[in-house]
Amino acid sequence: MPPKKAAKEEKIMLGRPGNNLKSGIVGLANVGKSTLFQAITKCSLGNPANFPYATIEPEEARVVVPDERYDWLCDHYKPRSQVPANLTVYDIAGLTRGASTGAGLGNAFLSHIRAVDALFQVVRCFDDAEIIHVEGDVDPVRDLQIINDELRIKDIEFVEKNLDALKKLTGRGGQSLEMKKLKEEQSIVESVLSWLVDEKKDVRKKNWGNKEVEIINQLQLLTAKPVIFLINLSEKDYIRQKNKNLPKIKAWIDEHCTGDIIIPLSVAFEERLTRLTDDEVAAECKKLGVKSAIGKIVVTMRAALRLASFFTTGPDEVRQWSIRKGTKAPQAAGVIHTGACVPVSGWLSMRLLIGRECRF
């Protein structure tokens, strides 16, 4: 008999398991977060203002995820009901230097970040004398460093407290299985602390093993969350796709957050488009030779959360369901409420879209 192939261990992802994941818009005060939130969600929630901390409690809204496959299915079946996938977005209060020690809205701000699963980090690259910058002038690299430091400092504080608690438990000694498990957990937490303190790196930037990821996920660390950097340009710079700070921002992200996605946009431009009809938006974008960045932002964040789709289709309803990437078909079917009737064409769509992950 040929030797059995070793079963491949499935990689556990950093972050909460589940399909209903949330993203938060973060950044320093007065960088355009609340205006962007309104442009993305097309609602009047949020509180844009040209003074710091206009937003205190986070606002929440859902955004429809653009998907040509879903649009094609709706055009094909012309169903009575259409249910697209959506992404939950939070507008979170602005950070400030010293937030990790309670400055500004520090502790509240950081607790709100802990509650989301991924971050849109807005970085200001526009000059406007009427919109106050909390640091006095526009310096995107400095702002990036401030947020990076504050999140990492808070994680260090949280990991140190967790490690102290574990040391008290392992200090009792003994050879029980429970004690062995506690010592293993302590070793993992010590390696996380070393990564944060000695390497000065975000937790998401190391390839952790499955046992390590299980422990890290319990800690809900701020620097473990995926980040998409949104570079807020003036409308003029966005249209010409040039800004003196863009090369500096890319260099900083390449050094400190290798692999993270950068999306330039103009929040002022996006906000202006929200006041136009769809036809007027198309005409304006064609005239200026640019596209709205909103669709790209939403789709990119959904990918960063490792969310994918399957579809149930028919004349009654076309619905787009959210699942984590890598989900097998039987588990994906569990997303649908027990007893729900799934049209045959829906299962065919599922087979086609999930492909090799299908197991019937």
Side-chain angles (χ1 to χ4, degrees), residues 159-175:
V159 172
E160 285 176 338
K161 286 181 179 178
N162 188 272
L163 184 58
D164 287 343
L166 284 169
K167 285 180 176 178
K168 288 178 182 178
L169 295 173
T170 57
R172 298 172 185 172
Q175 300 298 320

Side-chain angles (χ1 to χ4, degrees), residues 159 163 167 185-195:
V159 172
L163 184 58
K167 285 180 176 178
E185 182 176 345
Q186 178 181 321
S187 175
I188 290 171
V189 173
E190 285 173 341
S191 67
V192 173
L193 184 61
S194 174
W195 182 255

Side-chain angles (χ1 to χ4, degrees), residues 23-24 87 118-120 226-228 296-306:
S23 57
L87 180 70
L119 304 176
F120 291 118
V227 177
I228 294 172
K296 180 179 180 180
I297 289 169
V298 174
V299 169
T300 305
M301 176 55 78
R302 195 163 185 262
L305 288 166
R306 295 189 60 78

Side-chain angles (χ1 to χ4, degrees), residues 232-294:
N232 187 9
L233 308 171
S234 68
E235 183 170 338
K236 178 182 177 181
D237 284 354
Y238 179 67
I239 292 169
R240 64 181 188 147
Q241 294 291 289
K242 281 185 70 175
N243 180 280
K244 64 182 180 181
N245 291 303
L246 287 175
K248 300 175 189 176
I249 291 170
K250 186 178 185 308
W252 187 94
I253 291 174
D254 286 346
E255 179 181 354
H256 297 88
C257 304
T258 309
D260 284 349
I261 295 171
I262 306 169
I263 301 179
L265 79 158
S266 169
V267 173
F269 175 66
E270 300 295 348
E271 190 274 334
R272 184 164 69 81
L273 292 185
T274 63
R275 301 195 296 268
L276 305 178
T277 66
D278 290 345
D279 289 342
E280 289 172 337
V281 167
E284 182 70 2
C285 289
K286 183 177 180 180
K287 181 181 78 172
L288 297 174
V290 294
K291 293 181 179 179
S292 166
I294 297 298

Side-chain angles (χ1 to χ4, degrees), residues 26-27 82 95 109 207 214 233 253 283 286 289 300 308 311 321 358:
V26 303
Q82 299 178 11
L95 182 101
F109 169 88
N207 187 24
E214 286 180 0
L233 308 171
I253 291 174
K286 183 177 180 180
T300 305
F311 303 81
W321 303 83
C358 277

Side-chain angles (χ1 to χ4, degrees), residues 30 47-52 54 129-133:
N30 287 9
N47 189 21
N50 66 346
F51 55 86
E130 295 183 1
I131 301 179
I132 302 163
H133 193 293

